[in-house]
Amino acid sequence: KYGNHIERPFSPSTDWAQGGPIISRECISIRHWTNVPVVHAYMPDSDWSSDGESALVAAMRCYVASKLGDEVEVPDELTQG
């Protein structure tokens, strides 16, 4: 904690305060399908889109794909727990 600010982990796929500004800045659109438990996020002026179990997950997947491509290689040291 720094002054009145409480530091929290960066998690834009679960925290609207972090993911919301990215969605707005990147103009990511979100579509909720009827009777399907999947949310679709897409960037209207590009071919990038992604699905997820929540709007934030779908939107952040779409954002990462637009920046890094459809497949991202995660270094082994980041997957060791």
Side-chain angles (χ1 to χ4, degrees):
K1 180 174 176 178
Y2 300 100
N4 290 332
H5 174 73
I6 297 173
E7 194 170 317
R8 61 182 191 244
F10 185 64
S11 184
S13 63
T14 60
D15 186 341
W16 275 100
Q18 296 171 357
I22 296 170
I23 293 169
S24 179
R25 181 185 72 229
E26 300 296 324
C27 299
I28 298 172
S29 295
I30 297 168
R31 174 175 290 159
H32 296 267
W33 301 110
T34 303
N35 299 324
V36 179
V38 173
V39 181
H40 183 72
Y42 60 99
M43 296 175 142
D45 293 334
S46 75
D47 292 332
W48 295 110
S49 67
S50 189
D51 295 327
E53 57 273 12
S54 72
L56 280 174
V57 169
M60 293 304 102
R61 286 178 180 167
C62 182
Y63 174 67
V64 169
S66 76
K67 300 299 180 189
L68 301 176
D70 286 325
E71 292 186 27
V72 178
E73 188 171 324
V74 178
D76 288 338
E77 60 268 14
L78 294 179
T79 62
Q80 304 297 320

